Amino acid sequence: MNRLDPRVQLLWVASAAVSALVVGGVLFAVVTFLSPPFLPSWTPYAAAAVVFLLGALVAVARYRSWGYEVREDSLYLERGVFTRVRTVVPFVRIQHVDSSRGPIERVIGLASTVVYTAGSRGADVAVPGLTADNADELRERLKRLAIRSEGDDAV
Amino acid sequence: MAARRLSPLSVPYRVFQRGGSIVAALAFTLATGGFSLPFIGLAGPLVLVGLASLVAIVFVAYEYAYFRRFAYELAADTLDIESGVFARRNREIPLRRIQNVDISRNVVQRAVGIAAVSFETAGGGETEASLRFVSFEEAKRLQRELGRLKRGESLDADGELSEPDSRVLFELDGRELAILGALSFDFRVPGVLFVFFSGSLTFVTSYLPEGLGPLLVVVGVFVLLVLGMLASWVAGAVLAVVNYYDFRLVRSADELQYQRGLLQRYDGSIPFDKVQTLTIADNPLKRWTGYATLLVETAGYAPGQGDSSSRGSEAAVPVARRERIERLVEDIEPVGTPDFRRPPKRTRRRYFGRYCIVIGAAAAALYGANAVFGPVLPWYAPLALLPVAAVGAHYKWKHRGYWLGENHIVTRNGVLKRETKVVPYYRIQTVIDTRTVFQRRLGLASVVVDTAGSLSIGGQDAAAVDIDAGDADGLREELESRLRVAVAAHRRGRVGMGVEEEGDAPESVDGRDSEDESAESESGNEEPDPFVWGETYGDDSDARAGDDADDGGGGVDDDSV
């Protein structure tokens, strides 16, 4: 079972920080402009800290739960903190493979590989947190495997 | 074969179709006084007539140009269409990718003998290409010819298209049509009526004498409600009868063809090898009376998609005797007799707990309401529902299950809206195993089998819900390997949808049987379920005949099309 690059935790922690900032900002605005009596002035900071802490914990847990494996005939993914999800994507069913790099991913030096099938949940199958080289390599590998098992069996 | 044109009759038809809607719109705006005519005096009508004829000439010219510039050709392996008056478009659609060919004709089109043809491909709800309009014979020829080309057959010696032997699989009989009508409601009608009459409501009330009392209002509302229900029922019945009059499914070579409709006739074909899943749906009432609904899904579109008037559930049997539905399923997909394996009994506790939470929440809400508004109902009143919850949990468990057949996985879920889904292993796209926190606590898992084009029915994929975690691990692997075997078999052109079986099933990958025995004691099929598939088609589904699936070696890809 392959693990993701540990740096992906940075990415997820960063997104937790963003949501913490949003929550804190909204609460801060409420406290400053409406100043309801039941909200002490420190609530925004406390809420932001709690959200950030929880988000960071989940990020680490998510990293630990993630794993993928290129098997003989299929791609196997395992992930999920609260709901564990295991996905099997047979190579015959792969329609196309993308690797993508978002702006924050680029800063950290990571990339994702996305596998598309004709299934109704096809685009769900994405492997985040790969190094750029790894993502390209995984994409090429899956492409080769998909072509090898190719037929007219995609749909 | 030379490029063909649309039927010449399509020009006048399209002109009238387009002109008709514009005239109707104009008449509507004029009638409702949307705007007043700017032309006053004697010249007014003349100018109007002149404008109208100018518009008519433009229409005729445009439609004629459209007709002139539209050409299509059914080549050896593509359907080529050139079209467009101003922006030209050339399309080539590989025949193999065409999923459905639909022909529709409304009353006028039937009278003049033309038809609209739509070609659907996988991937997207949109119609890939349509011909508006060709003669009905040409439409049928296209449908047949397409099927023939896809099969790779050649023409007869005299160049004539041989009529494939077709067999009627299913016909909706009068009683079933009547039942369908009686069960159909169309709630759009009361809405429309309401919009129409809401304006006149104040008008009516102004005539009523003052102080008639609330009784009259209550009676009036009640009468209105009853009338509304009646109207929607009548409308639903009429619509159902109009849509499904003379519904039939015909098996023609390797295609499933359907025909239906009283005023507008629909006539379509679905290649068997494009069928993704079959769904048998029923509810307690239908189970009681022995009726069911069948839905056939292809990757091109699924039943219920789009608006029902144009192309709703084409290959769906709206309602029919359960035996007939099962026979039809057996005809389309030789499934065998499913012997559902239920989730472990501990799931009943889970469902009961779930219902208890709802009841508890209701009790708490009532307690709060009593505290605020004074006593309404005793707060513990919802607790009377606990026995119902227990029974409900039992039935939820009882109707849930999955079964692995020779070539199909069959899953069943739901009580009030029970769906039995048949998915050929060959159609599996991905296998997804999910376990929530609560499921893990009980050692349970849900395995979802994703297929192409199952998005429409509320995202309801075939799923084995709440099965034992260990079984789920096994099932995941099993489905994967069965898909592999099915693909290999398909490449050799043996096992396909609707292909008559010769009794040699693909190799069953081992690892199920031994566990079945031990698990049976807990998950149990202890009592004969009155609603199971029925023993009517008792072919030996347990026979795991033949392990010759690997003898073909590196499968020759000759006829995988």
Side-chain angles (χ1 to χ4, degrees), chain B residues 11-26:
Chain B
V11 178
Y13 184 83
R14 286 173 61 100
V15 168
F16 282 116
Q17 193 184 24
R18 208 176 270 255
S21 57
I22 286 177
V23 166
L26 264 181

Side-chain angles (χ1 to χ4, degrees), chain B residues 362-426:
Chain B
L366 206 58
Y367 188 82
N370 282 347
V372 177
F373 304 111
V376 191
L377 264 175
W379 64 267
Y380 46 82
L383 299 189
L385 289 173
L386 278 177
V388 179
V391 172
H394 174 73
Y395 274 97
K396 197 176 174 74
W397 164 80
K398 188 175 163 173
H399 287 290
R400 201 155 247 179
Y402 73 97
W403 178 72
L404 294 176
E406 269 174 24
N407 297 315
H408 310 86
I409 175 169
V410 185
T411 67
R412 189 174 69 178
N413 289 299
V415 177
L416 295 182
K417 184 173 181 289
R418 190 175 73 164
E419 289 190 331
T420 309
K421 288 190 177 282
V422 177
V423 180
Y425 296 133
Y426 180 61

Side-chain angles (χ1 to χ4, degrees), chain B residues 151-163:
Chain B
R151 286 192 298 278
E153 289 168 9
S154 51
L155 293 169
D156 285 355
D158 48 356
E160 275 300 298
L161 201 61
S162 62
E163 187 75 32

Side-chain angles (χ1 to χ4, degrees), chain A residues 74 82 86 93 152-153, chain B residues 96 426 428 433 440 480:
Chain A
S74 60
F82 299 107
R86 298 178 172 88
R93 292 297 184 242
D152 277 306
D153 303 314
Chain B
R96 279 180 295 139
Y426 180 61
I428 297 174
D433 168 337
R440 268 180 285 163
E480 190 193 342

Side-chain angles (χ1 to χ4, degrees), chain A residues 71 73-74 76 81-88 90 93 117-121 149-155, chain B residues 96 276 299 426-435 437 440 450-452 454 461 476 480 483-484 491:
Chain A
R71 294 182 177 172
D73 297 293
S74 60
Y76 174 79
V81 179
F82 299 107
T83 300
R84 301 278 293 155
V85 180
R86 298 178 172 88
T87 311
V88 179
R93 292 297 184 242
T117 67
S120 50
R121 304 164 189 233
S149 63
E150 165 71 14
D152 277 306
D153 303 314
V155 170
Chain B
R96 279 180 295 139
Q276 302 282 332
Y426 180 61
R427 292 295 161 199
I428 297 174
Q429 289 281 342
T430 52
V431 179
I432 304 158
D433 168 337
T434 59
R435 299 167 192 197
V437 177
R440 268 180 285 163
D450 190 19
T451 57
S454 50
D461 280 313
R476 220 172 48 224
E480 190 193 342
L483 167 66
R484 194 169 54 226
R491 292 240 169 105

